[in-house]
């Protein structure tokens, strides 16, 4: 069973994503605190991490750690142009 | 012999006639000590003195106090005695004490018996002086205009030396040299001209003889900040000089960027609940197929909550634009302050049944204000307190008043706000670093501030990171809506 970690600033969104992915038979954990992400990843070993752009710090941390940099990270955003995101 | 005498006598007569009757030149005759012996009619006309006023007086009487203290008359006389002639420009004092700027030529004249006389011929150059003065004033005026221009104005010669500049150059750029006269512009601008844009453009302008208009360039200042200038360049004086005018458009650009950022941010915030509603729909689709109606019900509630969130955000935005443009209209009435607070607490307790709001102090006072707006402030403070308290489910509300003001303090045991962020929390679209994960578009506290300001009150906050924050507002009890 695939495991997904969701890092988002919106509790509602995280709840719904969890319901959605659980229906698709994924195991889901979530957090809104970017600082918790490295520890959580090391306990949970997700197959993929979904990170909201506003929490992109979490993605940076994962990618700079030798132990976690292999894990795919997908950034999510509500922004409409790349200029706004970057 | 007699012939010679005669001719000299005749010439003397001729001279005397000229001396006495010329109207163009004012003339006076002195002895070697500078004592005035004779004056002509033109002198009387010009300076008002008659024979009896001035014959026997020293030349000094015609000079101003200041010139006398500098011994100018004495210097003039000794100059003539030594060199036979001298020219001076100075003021002469009229009998009525007015002064006139004159150009005088003094000549040493020797009689045939060897007696020395000094002849002073005076030309009135007051008009010249006035026009010189007005030229000077005009230059001064131009200079003043130049310095009062907000834009940076620089004139350069072909060697890129600064001929004129209207700003203190040390203010703009780090330059060890105080005196800006003939400073080399290249030397000064080089470290700040990002990508040598400006220098290349100027050199090109000299080469082609064509200036340029409205080139937007980024120039760094000595403080290290980048400033955006709109620079125009024009050639002057047969294309040997260049006039640069730089208009600082940093603030304009900044506010444009800020506006884009805000719009982007708001769009992002609005998309969150929208995305949630969409997710709810998708999930409902599936749960209906599975006949899991309990799940459908749950999703409908979530969907509704997100619609409410959207609604709240739009209301906040609408309020903020209305208030931000100065259209804050208060609908005032008389009410008991405590009752208003109680109503706000009731609202919050319905929304957050898990939390306890502890009220301390009382404010059983009748006030005049916008009840609805003040409830908005109190609920905002309370819901902030609840949102930002991690772990604790208590929020404390303190009521306090003296003869003049009522103060409300809402205290949470939450994340706290760092000292560098604390001053900005009441600003529009501000949200503390750590609290980005919570709803709203960052207008709540801004709206509170505007509402309290409209009540002639004030808002403030105290906070300690990791311990919690206390948000305050106070409004005057006696307040008349004007």
């Amino acid at each position: 069973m695939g495991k997904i970690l969701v890092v988002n600033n919106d509790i509602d969104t995280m709840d719904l994503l969890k319901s959605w992915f659980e229906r698709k038979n994924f195991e889901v954990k979530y957090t809104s605190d970017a600082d918790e992400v490295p520890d959580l990843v090391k306990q949970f070993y997700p197959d993929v991490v979904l990170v909201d752009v506003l929490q992109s710090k979490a993605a940076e941390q994962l990618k700079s750690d030798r132990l976690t940099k292999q894990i795919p990270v997908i950034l999510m955003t509500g922004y409409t142009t790349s200029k706004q995101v970057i | 012999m007699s012939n010679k005498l005669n001719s000299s006598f005749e010439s003397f007569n001729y001279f005397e006639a000229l001396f006495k009757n010329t109207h163009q030149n004012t003339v006076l005759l002195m002895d070697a000590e500078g004592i005035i012996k004779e004056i002509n009619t033109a002198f009387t006309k010009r300076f008002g003195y008659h024979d009896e006023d001035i014959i026997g007086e020293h030349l000094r009487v015609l000079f101003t106090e200041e010139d006398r203290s500098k011994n100018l008359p004495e210097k003039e006389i000794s100059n003539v005695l030594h060199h036979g002639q001298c020219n001076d420009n100075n003021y002469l004092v009229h009998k009525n004490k007015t002064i006139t700027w004159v150009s005088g030529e003094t000549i040493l004249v020797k009689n045939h018996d060897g007696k020395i006389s000094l002849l002073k011929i005076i030309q009135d150059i007051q008009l010249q002086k006035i026009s010189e003065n007005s030229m000077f004033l005009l230059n001064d005026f131009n200079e003043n205009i130049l310095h009062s221009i907000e834009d940076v104005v620089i004139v350069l010669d072909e060697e890129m030396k600064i001929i004129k500049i209207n700003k203190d150059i040390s203010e703009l750029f780090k330059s060890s040299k105080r005196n800006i006269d003939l400073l080399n512009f290249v030397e000064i601008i080089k470290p700040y001209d990002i990508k040598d844009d400006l220098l290349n453009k100027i050199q090109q302008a000299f080469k082609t003889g064509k200036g340029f208009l409205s080139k937007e360039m980024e120039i760094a200042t000595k403080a290290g900040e980048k400033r955006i200038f709109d620079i125009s360049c024009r050639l002057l004086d047969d294309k040997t000089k260049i006039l640069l005018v730089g208009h600082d458009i940093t603030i304009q650009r900044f506010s444009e960027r800020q506006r884009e950022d805000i719009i982007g941010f708001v769009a992002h915030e609005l998309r969150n609940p929208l995305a949630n509603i969409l997710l709810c729909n998708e999930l409902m689709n599936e749960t209906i197929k599975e006949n899991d109606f309990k799940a459908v019900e749950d999703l409908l509630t979530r969907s509704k909550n997100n619609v409410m969130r959207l609604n709240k955000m739009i209301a906040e935005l609408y309020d903020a634009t209305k208030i931000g443009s100065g259209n804050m209209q208060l609908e005032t009435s008389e009410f008991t302050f405590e009752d208003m607070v109680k109503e706000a607490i009731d609202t919050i307790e319905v929304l957050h049944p898990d939390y306890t709001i502890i009220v301390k102090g009382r404010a059983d006072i009748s006030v005049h204000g916008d009840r609805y707006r003040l409830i908005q402030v109190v609920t905002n403070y309370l819901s902030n307190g609840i949102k930002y308290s991690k772990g604790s489910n208590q929020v404390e509300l303190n009521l306090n008043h003296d003869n003049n003001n009522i103060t409300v303090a809402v205290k949470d045991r939450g994340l706290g706000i760092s000292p560098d962020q604390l001053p900005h929390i009441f600003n529009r679209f501000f949200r503390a670093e750590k609290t980005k994960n919570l709803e709203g578009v960052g207008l709540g506290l801004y709206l509170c501030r505007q509402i309290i300001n409209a009540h002639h009150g004030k808002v403030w906050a105290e906070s300690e990171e990791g311990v919690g924050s206390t948000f305050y507002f106070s409004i005057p009890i006696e307040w008349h809506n004007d």
Side-chain angles (χ1 to χ4, degrees):
Chain A
M1 193 169 61
K3 292 198 280 190
I4 302 172
L5 175 66
V6 180
V7 187
N8 199 290
N9 56 7
D10 192 311
I11 291 159
D12 260 358
T13 308
M14 289 192 293
D15 248 5
L16 286 162
L17 284 172
K18 187 172 149 73
S19 310
W20 175 262
F21 287 124
E22 278 172 356
R23 292 199 155 266
K24 306 285 174 195
N25 290 319
F26 288 98
E27 194 184 338
V28 181
K29 272 205 192 305
Y30 62 73
T31 178
S32 60
D33 189 345
D35 295 332
E36 284 179 4
V37 171
D39 285 344
L40 213 59
V41 165
K42 284 166 199 166
Q43 290 163 22
F44 182 55
Y45 292 115
D47 295 293
V48 65
V49 184
L50 294 182
V51 180
D52 186 86
V53 158
L54 293 178
Q55 310 263 35
S56 57
K57 192 172 108 191
E60 283 163 33
Q61 280 174 336
L62 291 179
K63 288 300 170 190
S64 63
D65 189 331
R66 201 169 46 84
L67 288 172
T68 54
K69 72 175 178 188
Q70 302 298 334
I71 302 170
V73 174
I74 297 173
L75 285 177
M76 300 185 292
T77 177
Y79 287 124
T80 48
T81 68
S82 59
K83 193 182 156 200
Q84 286 166 343
V85 177
I86 298 157
Chain B
M1 181 80 186
S2 85
N3 213 7
K4 201 181 171 187
L5 240 173
N6 209 18
S7 86
S8 106
F9 179 72
E10 260 172 33
S11 71
F12 185 76
N13 270 350
Y14 174 70
F15 173 71
E16 194 174 358
L18 182 74
F19 176 83
K20 282 284 179 200
N21 298 318
T22 174
H23 288 273
Q24 290 297 321
N25 299 299
T26 60
V27 187
L28 60 89
L29 198 68
M30 296 168 282
D31 66 14
E33 272 77 52
I35 303 299
I36 296 165
K37 293 292 178 193
E38 250 180 287
I39 54 172
N40 72 346
T41 45
F43 184 87
T44 304
K45 225 162 150 187
R46 185 65 193 83
F47 295 102
Y49 301 98
H50 292 274
D51 285 357
E52 61 271 25
D53 301 320
I54 202 154
I55 306 288
E57 296 287 342
H58 191 270
L59 179 66
R60 289 175 61 89
V61 298
L62 290 171
F63 280 70
T64 60
E65 187 91 34
E66 196 191 335
D67 289 350
R68 270 187 270 166
S69 70
K70 288 190 234 158
N71 290 327
L72 279 193
E74 286 78 8
K75 278 178 195 159
E76 190 177 316
I77 288 157
S78 88
N79 252 338
V80 188
L81 292 174
H82 277 97
H83 304 106
Q85 190 266 354
C86 89
N87 292 315
D88 299 281
N89 292 336
N90 52 266
Y91 284 109
L92 285 189
V93 183
H94 190 281
K95 194 182 168 188
N96 68 12
K97 303 295 176 212
T98 58
I99 55 174
T100 310
W101 184 253
V102 298
S103 167
E105 184 180 7
T106 314
I107 318 161
L108 189 136
V109 188
K110 249 185 203 168
N111 267 352
H112 23 257
D113 52 358
K115 199 179 153 204
I116 289 168
S117 295
L118 307 177
L119 185 72
K120 190 172 168 72
I121 304 155
I122 301 156
Q123 250 186 320
D124 181 353
I125 51 163
Q126 179 82 357
L127 281 176
Q128 201 180 323
K129 174 79 176 175
I130 287 170
S131 63
E132 266 173 24
N133 250 340
S134 47
M135 277 303 286
F136 180 75
L137 285 175
L138 189 67
N139 279 338
D140 211 38
F141 180 62
N142 285 340
E143 207 76 2
N144 279 335
I145 289 177
L146 195 62
H147 281 275
S148 62
I149 293 173
E150 277 297 306
D151 295 350
V152 183
V153 180
I154 303 173
V155 181
L156 298 177
D157 68 8
E158 281 167 303
E159 283 159 0
M160 303 291 270
K161 294 223 159 73
I162 297 173
I163 298 170
K164 212 167 226 343
I165 186 165
N166 69 332
K167 295 260 181 255
D168 186 359
I169 201 139
S170 61
E171 208 180 275
L172 289 172
F173 314 111
K174 207 179 283 171
S175 170
S176 49
K177 294 169 199 171
R178 286 251 157 153
N179 183 11
I180 60 110
D181 285 337
L182 295 176
L183 264 188
N184 195 301
F185 185 64
V186 181
E187 225 172 87
I188 292 167
I189 199 76
K190 194 90 184 163
Y192 305 101
D193 187 10
I194 297 152
K195 295 180 218 131
D196 284 343
D197 260 358
L198 183 56
L199 287 176
N200 288 340
K201 276 269 164 201
I202 295 171
Q203 263 140 17
Q204 211 183 330
F206 269 128
K207 245 182 246 166
T208 59
K210 277 185 194 147
F212 54 85
L213 283 172
S214 298
K215 282 280 163 232
E216 211 172 294
M217 279 167 210
E218 267 189 8
I219 307 279
T221 61
K222 65 172 172 182
E225 52 170 344
K226 274 183 197 167
R227 276 159 79 175
I228 305 161
F229 282 91
D230 178 286
I231 299 174
S232 296
C233 164
R234 198 182 288 268
L235 283 116
L236 302 175
D237 291 353
D238 297 326
K239 299 174 180 170
T240 58
K241 290 186 188 74
I242 261 182
L243 171 73
L244 284 178
V245 179
H247 183 59
D248 190 341
I249 52 169
T250 318
I251 291 167
Q252 204 178 320
R253 283 284 172 278
F254 178 74
S255 60
E256 276 167 26
R257 273 175 208 171
Q258 206 180 30
R259 198 164 52 227
E260 278 171 25
D261 285 352
I262 286 170
I263 291 169
F265 178 71
V266 169
H268 177 265
E269 292 303 301
L270 292 176
R271 265 159 202 275
N272 257 344
L274 266 182
N276 291 346
I277 294 165
L278 199 67
L279 256 173
C280 283
N281 284 4
E282 299 274 334
L283 279 164
M284 272 191 267
N285 212 4
E286 302 214 347
T287 45
I288 285 170
K289 278 180 204 155
E290 290 162 14
N291 285 325
D292 185 354
F293 292 110
K294 203 173 174 306
V296 175
E297 213 175 306
D298 174 54
L299 286 166
L300 271 173
T301 316
R302 284 163 185 259
S303 191
K304 188 183 156 201
N305 286 344
N306 279 286
V307 172
M308 307 266 277
R309 250 177 84 185
L310 266 180
N311 199 33
K312 194 182 156 212
M313 285 178 178
I314 291 164
E316 259 189 21
L317 274 174
Y318 177 70
D319 272 0
T321 41
K322 230 171 66 176
I323 293 168
S325 58
N327 288 327
M328 178 94 190
Q329 293 279 337
L330 293 183
E331 283 170 36
T332 56
S333 61
E334 291 272 336
F335 56 89
T336 308
F337 195 84
E338 213 174 61
D339 294 349
M340 181 277 293
V341 172
K342 198 167 177 328
E343 196 182 323
I345 291 170
D346 287 346
T347 315
I348 289 294
E349 277 177 341
V350 170
L351 286 170
H352 305 274
D354 305 342
Y355 285 84
T356 320
I357 292 152
I358 302 159
V359 183
K360 290 184 179 170
R362 300 210 45 189
D364 189 11
I365 294 170
S366 177
V367 292
H368 187 77
D370 190 325
R371 192 164 197 251
Y372 167 75
R373 291 290 188 191
L374 288 175
I375 287 176
Q376 215 181 329
V377 176
V378 178
T379 50
N380 206 302
Y381 271 33
L382 287 173
S383 63
N384 271 349
I386 286 168
K387 273 195 284 185
Y388 299 147
S389 62
K390 251 187 175 177
S392 161
N393 58 354
Q394 279 187 1
V395 175
E396 200 179 297
L397 187 146
N398 279 285
L399 286 170
N400 230 315
H401 68 91
D402 54 24
N403 291 336
N404 305 316
N405 298 294
I406 303 178
T407 306
V408 175
V410 174
K411 190 174 174 184
D412 67 55
R413 295 194 186 85
L415 308 164
I417 302 154
S418 67
D420 57 315
Q421 298 193 332
L422 197 59
H424 308 292
I425 53 168
F426 288 100
N427 289 349
R428 218 198 295 217
F429 296 113
F430 175 82
R431 276 204 289 180
E433 276 298 307
K434 283 191 177 166
T435 58
K436 274 185 174 167
N437 55 334
L438 302 149
E439 68 178 279
V441 280
L443 286 169
L445 286 175
Y446 169 74
L447 288 171
C448 291
R449 190 185 77 185
Q450 299 296 324
I451 291 165
I452 297 302
N453 279 352
H455 283 85
H456 301 260
K458 58 175 184 171
V459 294
W460 72 100
E462 288 163 2
S463 187
E464 199 178 327
E465 263 187 296
V467 177
S469 314
T470 308
F471 284 80
Y472 299 88
F473 76 84
S474 77
I475 58 166
I477 295 165
E478 289 289 326
W479 168 71
H480 303 283
N481 193 8
D482 43 35

